[in-house]
Amino acid sequence: MSAEPIAHDPKWRRLPGERPHQLIEAALDVFSERGFNAAKLDEIARRAGVSKGTIYLYFDSKEELFKAVVNDVIAAQLREAHQGPTPKSESEALERAMRANWAFITLPRFDGWFRILIAELPKHPELLAFYNRAVIDRGWAKLEAIIARGVASGEFRRVEPRLAVGFANSLVIMHRHWVSANSIRPEYQSRDRQQLIDAIVDFALAALRNPAFHSPAQ
Amino acid sequence: MSAEPIAHDPKWRRLPGERPHQLIEAALDVFSERGFNAAKLDEIARRAGVSKGTIYLYFDSKEELFKAVVNDVIAAQLREAHQGPTPKSESEALERAMRANWAFITLPRFDGWFRILIAELPKHPELLAFYNRAVIDRGWAKLEAIIARGVASGEFRRVEPRLAVGFANSLVIMHRHWVSANSIRPEYQSRDRQQLIDAIVDFALAALRNPAFHSPAQ
Amino acid sequence: MSAEPIAHDPKWRRLPGERPHQLIEAALDVFSERGFNAAKLDEIARRAGVSKGTIYLYFDSKEELFKAVVNDVIAAQLREAHQGPTPKSESEALERAMRANWAFITLPRFDGWFRILIAELPKHPELLAFYNRAVIDRGWAKLEAIIARGVASGEFRRVEPRLAVGFANSLVIMHRHWVSANSIRPEYQSRDRQQLIDAIVDFALAALRNPAFHSPAQ
Amino acid sequence: MSAEPIAHDPKWRRLPGERPHQLIEAALDVFSERGFNAAKLDEIARRAGVSKGTIYLYFDSKEELFKAVVNDVIAAQLREAHQGPTPKSESEALERAMRANWAFITLPRFDGWFRILIAELPKHPELLAFYNRAVIDRGWAKLEAIIARGVASGEFRRVEPRLAVGFANSLVIMHRHWVSANSIRPEYQSRDRQQLIDAIVDFALAALRNPAFHSPAQ
DNA sequence: CATGAATGAGGCTTCATTCAT
DNA sequence: CATGAATGAAGCCTCATTCAT
C-alpha cells in the first residue's frame, strides 16, 4: 500500500533522494511547534541541515512546503489500515477503529498538529477540500458503515450514523488536543492515555448501544 | 454586571469611555476572521472608525489587545448565568447547561473564535492559566457537580465526573467549530443547529444515564 | 493645462503633500542611472530622504513606482505645448516642433531615460499602450498633420506623412540618446547641442522639401 | 572566417569544440528575449542542452558570457562585407551600404538585441569602447568616406560627413527597433520591411543629394 | 568535461510601533 | 485625545556561483 495521496496533481516536485523527506520532517516539527506563520524557513532549513535556498529546490513556496507536509501526514493517516481479526460485533469494530485512530494521532510528532489543522487549513481551500475527500470520505465512511450496520441489526440505538461518527470523532480529536503540550487543558497531559481512550470508548459505546439488544450468538 | 475577569493583574489599561470597547469589538471580528497574525491593526482601526495610532492609546501592543479581547469574551462567557427553573433531575440540569453553552458559543460573532483560541492561546501562558481558572474552575466545575450528583444518586452510570465533563464539552466544542464557516467539515454548516444540539444532548445523556435507574419521584 | 495623463485609472495613490513627488523625483534619477532592475529601493528612499518603508505608503510596489515615474515624465512631455507665433510655412512648423521636442527631451534629468524607455517599457504592456496613446496619438499626430499639409500644398515632396514623422523622430530620439552620458556614441557628448539640432532639422527639411516648390507668398 | 574581435584581450576563454558556440547561441536568444537581468542562466543552459554548471567551464560569469555574445554579434556584423559590383555613384554606394546594414540587423535573431545594446552596453565600458572601435571606426568610417566623396564631387550637399552618417544610421537603427516585437511602436511590425528600407533610403538620399548636381557621366 | 545539488547574499515587501503635530 | 505619516526590523524568495562527484 503505497499511498500517494494526491496522485492526480502532485504539484510539489519529488526529486530523488532523501532531501525532500528531510525537509518535510523538519517542517512538520516547526509548523507543529510554531504554526504556519510563526514558522521561519530559516529554522526549518537549519533543522534539516541545509541552507534556506535548498528548500526552494524542492518546494515552490512556504505554502507548497506546508501542503507537502499536510499531504504526508494525510498519507500516513491513510496508511493506517486498521487491519485485524474480524470483529465479532459492530461494537467491537467501532472500538477497534477508535483505538486505532487514537493510537495514530496520539503519536508525539503530531503533538501540535491539531492546532495547525484547525487554524491554518481553512486558509487553503484546495487542501481543505482534499483533506475532506481523503480523510473524511474514507475514514468517516468506514465508521459510518459500522454504525449503520449496528443500527440495522439492532445492536445500536436508532441514531443517524453520520452524526454518530461526528460524535465519536469529536471525543477522540478534542482529547487528543488536550493531551498535547500547550493545549488549553494542560491537566490532561498527566492522564494515562490508555485509560483516557478506554473511557472515551466506554462513553461512546454506552451512548450507542441498544440496552434491549442481545447478541444473536447468545 | 461586574465581570472584570483579570482584575488581579490588569496589564491593559481600561480607560473610561466607549473607545476601548469599540476597539475590542472590532478586534474580535478581525481576529476571528483572519487569525492573530493575519489580522492587521490597520483593519481593526478602520472598522473601529479610528486611526491606527489610537489603538496605542489604549493598548500597549497587538498582543495586549488580543488579551483584552480574550478577556472580554471570557467575561461574557462567565456572565452566562444559565439561570432558570430548578431542574427536576441531573439529566435535565446537564441538558440545560449544555444547551446554554451551545447557545452562547454558537453566536455568529464567535464564528472563527475557536480557531483563534486553539491556535493562539497556548502562546500566552498567562492567558492560558487564567482561562483555565476562570472557565474551567467555574464552568466545568458546575457541570462536574451535576454529574457527580447524578452518579451518586444512581441516575448516571459510574463514570469519573471530571472525564464526563470533558466528553460533554468535546461534543459541544467540536461541533461548534464544524458549523462555522471555513471549518474542516463544511457539511455541518447546512445542518439545523437546533437538531444538532438535540442530537448531541441525546448522545451525551444516553452515554451517561443509568439504564437501571428509576426516578425516585416515580 | 493640468495634464493628468492617466485620468481614467490612477492606480497610484496621490496623497496630499510633497512626498509622492519627492519620491518620483528620486526614482526618476535612480531609474535613469541604473535601469529598473538595478535600481534599489533603498537608494531611491535615501535620495528622497525617507526610509524604505515610506515608499509603500504611496506606491504599491516598485513597479507601480516606475509607472508613476513614466506617467509623470509623459505628463511633462504632454505639457510641452509648443505654442508660439503662427508659422508662415509647414517647413517652419515642422522645424519648430522638432526643436521644441529636442529642447524638452534634452533636459539633463532625462539623460538615461531613453534607455529605460527602450529596455523596460516593453515589459509593461499597459504602460506601453498608454505611452502609445498619449504620446504618439498626440505628438505624432501633430507632426503628421503638418507634413500632410505640406505634401498637399506641394511644399513637401510626395511622402507618406506617417513614415516621415517616424524619420524625423528617429533623428531626434537617436541623437538625444547619443548625447547622453554612457551612450554608445560618447563622441556626441562633446558636440554643441544647438548645432546638432540645427543639422538635424536641416537634414530633415532637405529630405522633405520639394525643390520645385515656390512659396505662394512670393 | 577570422573575426576574433577582441583578440588583444580575450578575457573569456574560447575552448575548442562546439560547446561555447552553443552556449553563446542560446544566450543570444535568452538575452534578447528577456534582457540581461531577467535572463536566467538556468534557461540558457536548458536551451543549450547542458547543465547550469557547464556554463562556468567556458565563461567566468554571466557578465563574461554576455561579453562573449556581444563579441560574437559584433564579429558577425564585421563579417558583413557588403561586397558587390562597383557602384556607379556615391548615392548608389550609400544606398547599398544602408540596405546591407538593414538586411543584417533585421535578422529575426537580433529582434530584441537592440534593447540589450542600449540598456546593457553602457554598463560595460570595456565593451562600449571596443564596440566603438570595431563598429564605428570601421562601419561608420566606410559610410563617412562615401559621403565625403559625394560632398567633394558635388553629388551631395555640403554636409558634415560624420553627422550625415549618424543621420543615416539613426534612421536604420531606430526603425529596426520599431519593427521588432515589443517595441514602443507596434504598428511598424505590420509594415513591409522592404518598403520600409526603400522609404528610408529615399529619405536619406533626398536629404543628401545636391539638387543642382548632374552626373558627369551624362 | 559534465553534472546538478547546494549555497547565501541581497532584494522587495509587510506591518507593528512610534511620534510630531 | 487623536491623527497618520514615518520607521525599520524581519521574512520570503531569487539566482549567480560553487563544488563534490
Side-chain angles (χ1 to χ4, degrees):
Chain A
M1 176 176 185
S2 75
E4 194 66 13
I6 303 196
H8 20 47
D9 184 16
K11 271 186 184 168
W12 45 94
R13 288 170 264 155
R14 290 240 179 224
L15 296 205
E18 281 303 296
R19 243 330 99 70
H21 188 58
Q22 292 168 15
L23 285 167
I24 288 175
E25 290 291 302
L28 170 57
D29 289 348
V30 179
F31 282 144
S32 291
E33 285 174 27
R34 310 232 189 274
F36 182 78
N37 263 287
K40 306 305 167 201
L41 290 184
D42 259 330
E43 187 174 4
I44 293 174
R46 190 165 4 96
R47 290 209 202 176
V50 299
S51 77
K52 204 171 21 172
T54 299
I55 295 176
Y56 287 84
L57 293 178
Y58 303 95
F59 307 97
D60 285 341
S61 65
K62 187 184 183 184
E63 192 156 307
E64 289 300 321
L65 174 57
F66 176 66
K67 289 183 183 178
V69 174
V70 171
N71 205 42
D72 252 40
V73 172
I74 292 174
Q77 199 158 347
L78 291 182
R79 268 197 299 276
E80 285 296 302
H82 309 320
Q83 300 302 355
T86 307
K88 294 191 300 273
S89 66
E90 302 309 334
S91 296
E92 194 186 325
L94 179 63
E95 172 170 358
R96 206 177 286 166
M98 289 179 72
R99 287 185 185 279
N101 199 15
W102 177 259
F104 175 72
I105 68 174
T106 268
L107 294 176
R109 59 190 325 243
F110 298 144
D111 226 54
W113 189 247
F114 176 67
R115 287 215 308 278
I116 295 291
L117 230 53
I118 291 290
E120 312 288 354
L121 213 51
K123 292 175 192 164
H124 302 278
E126 177 195 359
L127 276 180
L128 194 62
F130 170 65
Y131 191 88
N132 275 321
R133 259 200 327 277
V135 174
I136 291 180
D137 290 359
R138 299 196 200 186
W140 286 50
K142 186 193 289 184
L143 273 193
E144 193 177 351
I146 293 173
I147 292 172
R149 280 197 302 272
V151 170
S153 70
E155 181 178 346
F156 291 157
R157 297 190 304 122
R158 301 215 158 278
V159 296
E160 186 181 336
R162 189 77 185 182
L163 284 179
V165 175
F167 297 155
N169 282 340
S170 287
L171 297 168
V172 169
I173 294 171
M174 204 70 233
H175 283 79
R176 193 280 170 257
H177 174 58
W178 285 336
V179 299
S180 76
N182 295 328
S183 90
I184 221 170
R185 298 289 314 270
E187 48 164 320
Y188 276 99
Q189 292 172 48
S190 55
R191 290 243 172 212
D192 181 84
R193 296 186 175 194
Q194 202 52 51
Q195 288 176 10
L196 208 48
I197 186 59
D198 287 347
I200 289 171
V201 166
D202 175 66
F203 184 85
L205 288 181
L208 288 175
R209 275 214 200 90
N210 180 0
F213 179 75
H214 294 285
S215 165
Q218 295 173 338
Chain B
M1 166 190 168
S2 77
E4 193 67 13
I6 303 198
H8 16 49
D9 183 13
K11 269 190 181 167
W12 48 91
R13 289 167 267 153
R14 291 296 227 99
L15 300 197
E18 281 303 297
R19 244 329 104 72
H21 188 60
Q22 292 168 14
L23 283 167
I24 288 174
E25 289 290 303
L28 170 57
D29 289 349
V30 179
F31 281 143
S32 291
E33 286 174 26
R34 312 231 187 274
F36 182 78
N37 263 286
K40 309 303 169 206
L41 290 187
D42 259 327
E43 187 174 5
I44 293 174
R46 187 166 8 95
R47 291 209 201 176
V50 300
S51 76
K52 195 162 46 164
T54 301
I55 294 176
Y56 284 84
L57 294 176
Y58 300 96
F59 306 96
D60 287 339
S61 67
K62 186 184 184 184
E63 193 155 308
E64 290 301 321
L65 175 57
F66 174 69
K67 290 182 182 178
V69 174
V70 172
N71 206 44
D72 250 40
V73 173
I74 293 174
Q77 199 159 351
L78 291 182
R79 270 197 301 277
E80 285 295 302
H82 311 322
Q83 298 303 354
T86 307
K88 295 190 300 273
S89 66
E90 301 309 334
S91 295
E92 193 186 324
L94 178 62
E95 172 170 357
R96 204 178 288 165
M98 288 179 73
R99 288 184 184 279
N101 198 16
W102 177 260
F104 175 72
I105 67 174
T106 267
L107 294 176
R109 59 189 326 238
F110 297 143
D111 225 56
W113 189 247
F114 177 65
R115 288 213 309 275
I116 294 290
L117 229 54
I118 291 289
E120 306 295 344
L121 215 50
K123 293 176 190 166
H124 304 281
E126 175 195 4
L127 276 180
L128 195 62
F130 169 65
Y131 189 87
N132 275 319
R133 258 200 327 278
V135 174
I136 293 181
D137 290 0
R138 300 196 200 185
W140 286 48
K142 187 193 287 184
L143 273 193
E144 193 178 351
I146 293 172
I147 292 171
R149 280 198 300 273
V151 170
S153 70
E155 181 178 346
F156 290 156
R157 297 189 306 120
R158 300 218 159 276
V159 296
E160 185 181 336
R162 189 76 182 187
L163 283 180
V165 175
F167 298 155
N169 281 341
S170 287
L171 296 168
V172 170
I173 295 172
M174 204 69 233
H175 284 77
R176 194 278 170 260
H177 173 58
W178 285 336
V179 299
S180 76
N182 296 328
S183 90
I184 221 169
R185 297 293 312 272
E187 46 165 319
Y188 276 101
Q189 292 172 47
S190 55
R191 290 242 175 214
D192 180 86
R193 294 188 176 194
Q194 202 51 51
Q195 289 177 9
L196 207 48
I197 186 59
D198 288 348
I200 289 172
V201 166
D202 175 67
F203 184 86
L205 288 181
L208 288 175
R209 276 214 198 89
N210 181 0
F213 178 76
H214 295 285
S215 164
Q218 295 174 335
Chain C
M1 178 174 183
S2 74
E4 193 66 13
I6 303 196
H8 20 48
D9 184 16
K11 269 184 182 168
W12 44 94
R13 288 171 262 155
R14 290 240 179 221
L15 297 206
E18 282 303 296
R19 246 324 103 69
H21 188 59
Q22 291 168 16
L23 285 167
I24 288 176
E25 290 291 302
L28 170 57
D29 289 347
V30 179
F31 282 143
S32 291
E33 285 174 25
R34 311 231 187 274
F36 182 78
N37 263 286
K40 306 306 167 199
L41 289 184
D42 259 328
E43 187 175 5
I44 293 174
R46 189 164 6 95
R47 290 209 203 176
V50 301
S51 77
K52 203 168 26 169
T54 299
I55 295 176
Y56 286 84
L57 293 178
Y58 302 96
F59 307 97
D60 286 339
S61 65
K62 187 185 182 182
E63 192 156 309
E64 289 300 321
L65 175 56
F66 176 66
K67 289 183 184 179
V69 174
V70 171
N71 205 43
D72 252 41
V73 173
I74 292 174
Q77 198 158 348
L78 292 182
R79 267 196 300 276
E80 284 297 301
H82 309 320
Q83 300 302 355
T86 306
K88 294 191 299 276
S89 66
E90 302 309 333
S91 296
E92 193 186 326
L94 179 63
E95 172 171 356
R96 207 178 286 164
M98 288 179 72
R99 287 185 184 279
N101 198 15
W102 177 260
F104 174 72
I105 68 174
T106 268
L107 294 176
R109 59 190 325 245
F110 298 144
D111 225 55
W113 190 247
F114 177 66
R115 287 215 308 279
I116 295 290
L117 230 54
I118 291 290
E120 313 287 354
L121 213 52
K123 294 176 191 163
H124 303 278
E126 176 195 359
L127 275 180
L128 194 61
F130 170 66
Y131 191 87
N132 275 321
R133 259 201 326 279
V135 175
I136 292 180
D137 290 0
R138 300 197 198 185
W140 285 51
K142 185 193 290 182
L143 274 194
E144 194 177 349
I146 292 173
I147 292 172
R149 281 197 302 273
V151 171
S153 71
E155 181 177 349
F156 290 156
R157 298 191 304 122
R158 301 214 160 279
V159 296
E160 186 181 333
R162 189 78 183 180
L163 284 179
V165 176
F167 298 154
N169 282 340
S170 287
L171 297 168
V172 170
I173 295 172
M174 205 69 234
H175 284 79
R176 192 279 170 259
H177 173 58
W178 285 335
V179 299
S180 75
N182 294 328
S183 89
I184 222 171
R185 297 290 314 272
E187 45 164 321
Y188 276 99
Q189 293 170 48
S190 55
R191 289 242 174 213
D192 180 84
R193 295 188 175 193
Q194 202 52 52
Q195 289 176 9
L196 209 47
I197 185 61
D198 287 348
I200 289 172
V201 166
D202 174 67
F203 184 85
L205 288 181
L208 288 175
R209 276 213 198 90
N210 182 359
F213 177 75
H214 294 284
S215 165
Q218 295 175 334
Chain D
M1 150 189 168
S2 81
E4 193 66 14
I6 303 196
H8 19 50
D9 183 15
K11 269 190 180 167
W12 48 94
R13 289 168 267 154
R14 291 295 228 100
L15 300 199
E18 280 303 297
R19 243 330 103 70
H21 188 59
Q22 292 168 15
L23 284 167
I24 288 174
E25 289 290 303
L28 169 57
D29 289 348
V30 179
F31 282 142
S32 291
E33 286 175 25
R34 311 231 188 276
F36 182 79
N37 262 286
K40 309 303 169 206
L41 290 186
D42 259 327
E43 187 174 5
I44 293 174
R46 188 167 5 97
R47 292 209 200 176
V50 301
S51 77
K52 195 163 43 165
T54 300
I55 294 176
Y56 285 84
L57 294 176
Y58 300 95
F59 306 97
D60 286 338
S61 67
K62 186 185 184 182
E63 192 155 306
E64 291 300 321
L65 174 57
F66 174 69
K67 289 182 182 178
V69 174
V70 172
N71 206 42
D72 250 41
V73 173
I74 293 173
Q77 199 159 351
L78 291 182
R79 268 198 301 278
E80 285 295 304
H82 311 322
Q83 298 303 353
T86 306
K88 294 190 300 273
S89 66
E90 301 310 333
S91 296
E92 192 185 326
L94 179 62
E95 172 171 358
R96 206 178 286 166
M98 287 178 73
R99 288 184 185 279
N101 198 16
W102 176 260
F104 175 73
I105 67 174
T106 267
L107 294 176
R109 60 188 327 237
F110 297 144
D111 226 55
W113 189 247
F114 177 65
R115 288 215 306 277
I116 294 291
L117 230 54
I118 291 290
E120 308 294 346
L121 214 50
K123 293 176 190 165
H124 303 281
E126 175 196 2
L127 277 179
L128 195 62
F130 168 65
Y131 190 86
N132 275 320
R133 256 199 329 276
V135 175
I136 292 182
D137 290 0
R138 300 197 199 184
W140 286 49
K142 186 193 288 183
L143 273 193
E144 193 178 350
I146 292 172
I147 292 171
R149 280 197 301 273
V151 170
S153 70
E155 180 176 350
F156 291 157
R157 296 191 304 120
R158 301 218 158 277
V159 297
E160 185 181 336
R162 188 78 184 183
L163 283 180
V165 176
F167 298 155
N169 283 340
S170 288
L171 297 168
V172 169
I173 295 173
M174 205 68 233
H175 284 78
R176 193 280 170 260
H177 174 58
W178 285 335
V179 299
S180 76
N182 296 326
S183 89
I184 221 170
R185 298 292 314 270
E187 45 164 322
Y188 277 100
Q189 292 172 47
S190 55
R191 289 244 176 211
D192 180 85
R193 295 188 176 193
Q194 201 53 52
Q195 288 176 11
L196 208 48
I197 185 60
D198 287 348
I200 289 172
V201 166
D202 174 67
F203 184 85
L205 289 181
L208 288 175
R209 275 213 198 89
N210 181 359
F213 178 76
H214 295 284
S215 166
Q218 295 174 334

